[in-house]
Amino acid sequence: MTGLLDGKALAAKMQAELAEQVQHLQQQVGRPPGLAVLMVGDNPASAAYVRNKEQACERVGIASFGKHFPTQTTQAELEQTIQALNQDERVDGILVQLPLPDHLDSVGLLNQIDPNKDADGLHPTNLGRLVRGEPGLRSCTPAGVMRLLQEYRIDLKGKKAVVIGRSILVGKPLALMLLAEDATVTIAHSRSQDLTAIARDADILVAAVGRTNLITAEMVKPDAVVVDVGINRVVNPETGKGRLVGDVEFESVRDVAAWITPVPGGIGPMTVTMLLDNTVWSYRQRCVAGREK
Ligand SMILES: NC(=O)c1ccc[n+]([C@@H]2O[C@H](COP(=O)([O-])OP(=O)(O)OC[C@H]3O[C@@H](n4cnc5c(N)ncnc54)[C@H](OP(=O)(O)O)[C@@H]3O)[C@@H](O)[C@H]2O)c1
């Protein structure tokens, strides 16, 4: 019987715990934790993600300092905003919602964020800390994958983990996190040869690509743990209605795997929750005696 790695349920549990912590801590600190989500332009998917993050902040008692800029905003204007937020004592986390319009340099902007307020864990200082195995803010999606595996006591030590996708946002940091838990890690990408053979060798298989039905049942080792990070919108041609699916062909793979994440309800809610967790962690680090992450 295949087990469901229920990110939605774990996210709800963690958010309730964070809300309690925030309630308690703000009596000590005198203010709630603060998160600023910066969005540029009107990409509807980004707008939905930002709304989702702000609603989650509200649920746990984190104050939102979000700003929405028009598409033609300049790099200089955004840099000035980030500098001001770096100095703002009420703000513990800053996040730039990606992707940005083409005329903007996202890496340049991310580098402007104070590493101690880097809620998305994408600043070179925090990525460096991850490489070195030092405490620090971790990228939310891979951290969410790790937290979900930990919750279900998935044994990683000495296991073969295959991460498909090598982005700086998901694949690379996740590979390092799995390595830190003593998995033997392979990273596959668009140039990898014989993806089926690579995937089929995995005890833990993670798909972080953005391609519907990339992972089929014959690519999965019996009793593997399958984590689907992908988010793809597919439209039903008859009804015209869209729905979200992952990179994994869920119905066939669930017959082979021991554990599997659903889409939606898997890594998506965990990502938002790790953003809240990062913000509360920064708040503690900045305002209360430190807690190791
Ligand atoms: N659940 C969440 O909260 C969450 C958060 C972030 C992202 N996502 C989703 O996760 C997916 C990946 O996101 P991302 O930001 O990492 O995307 P990305 O930057 O586009 O990276 C995609 C990766 O997949 C690889 N790839 C593309 N086609 C492939 C193929 N046919 N076989 C093997 N590898 C292939 C690419 O290889 P190359 O490097 O060779 O091009 C690249 O490394 C997307 O669907 C995104 O929406 C979900």
Side-chain angles (χ1 to χ4, degrees):
M1 178 72 182
T2 310
L4 208 61
L5 298 168
D6 189 343
K8 193 174 168 190
L10 177 56
K13 180 176 113 176
M14 286 181 69
Q15 289 185 23
E17 286 166 5
L18 282 168
E20 256 182 52
Q21 281 178 39
V22 166
Q23 208 181 19
H24 172 75
L25 285 169
Q26 70 177 319
Q27 288 167 3
Q28 234 174 302
V29 177
R31 65 164 180 90
L35 174 68
V37 179
L38 304 184
M39 177 174 161
V40 186
D42 42 22
N43 177 331
S46 292
Y49 289 138
V50 169
R51 233 182 357 260
N52 207 355
K53 286 167 185 173
E54 290 178 347
Q55 283 168 355
C57 280
E58 207 176 310
R59 278 199 296 278
V60 306
I62 294 175
S64 284
F65 294 88
K67 291 201 168 107
H68 188 171
F69 297 87
T71 309
Q72 61 277 15
T73 306
T74 64
Q75 185 87 8
E77 281 174 88
L78 290 166
E79 284 182 3
Q80 272 169 20
T81 302
I82 291 174
Q83 293 303 341
L85 291 167
N86 283 343
Q87 302 301 323
D88 191 331
E89 282 305 318
R90 301 164 305 166
V91 174
D92 304 285
I94 303 168
L95 176 151
V96 177
Q97 183 67 40
L98 301 175
L100 290 172
D102 288 344
H103 69 281
L104 295 169
D105 164 23
S106 55
V107 174
L109 283 179
L110 295 178
N111 289 354
Q112 297 286 321
I113 296 174
D114 175 346
N116 296 318
K117 294 188 175 187
D118 173 31
D120 233 356
L122 296 176
H123 189 283
T125 298
N126 287 317
L127 290 170
R129 286 172 178 154
L130 169 63
V131 173
R132 292 175 67 107
E134 294 170 0
L137 288 159
R138 299 290 193 246
S139 177
C140 301
T141 303
V145 172
M146 297 305 290
R147 183 67 186 76
L148 189 59
L149 294 175
Q150 185 192 15
E151 178 74 8
Y152 284 87
R153 297 191 163 75
I154 303 295
D155 185 18
L156 299 172
K157 205 178 272 295
K159 294 288 176 347
K160 286 185 190 168
V162 171
V163 179
I164 310 180
R166 57 174 164 179
S167 71
I168 203 75
L169 188 65
V170 188
K172 279 184 198 166
L174 179 58
L176 287 164
M177 290 178 198
L178 289 162
L179 188 63
E181 294 302 322
D182 296 327
T184 302
V185 184
T186 300
I187 306 176
H189 46 79
S190 68
R191 308 293 169 92
S192 297
Q193 289 180 10
D194 202 350
L195 193 64
T196 298
I198 296 169
R200 217 184 143 76
D201 204 29
D203 301 307
I204 320 288
L205 179 62
V206 184
V209 172
R211 247 181 190 233
T212 312
N213 294 337
L214 178 76
I215 304 300
T216 53
E218 68 270 14
M219 297 170 80
V220 177
K221 188 197 237 183
D223 292 333
V225 176
V226 178
V227 177
D228 193 353
V229 177
I231 299 181
N232 309 290
R233 177 168 289 277
V234 293
V235 178
N236 181 327
E238 279 161 29
T239 62
K241 281 198 173 159
R243 66 186 177 101
L244 296 183
V245 298
D247 293 343
V248 176
E249 201 181 78
F250 185 83
E251 289 307 329
S252 64
V253 170
R254 77 182 308 180
D255 291 338
V256 183
W259 292 96
I260 189 167
T261 59
V263 178
I267 302 307
M270 289 305 299
T271 297
V272 176
T273 305
M274 297 318 289
L275 174 67
L276 307 176
D277 192 67
N278 275 351
T279 306
V280 174
W281 187 73
S282 298
Y283 170 72
R284 271 182 189 272
Q285 293 293 111
R286 299 176 63 248
C287 307
V288 190
R291 171 185 75 134
E292 291 287 283
K293 188 151 176 112

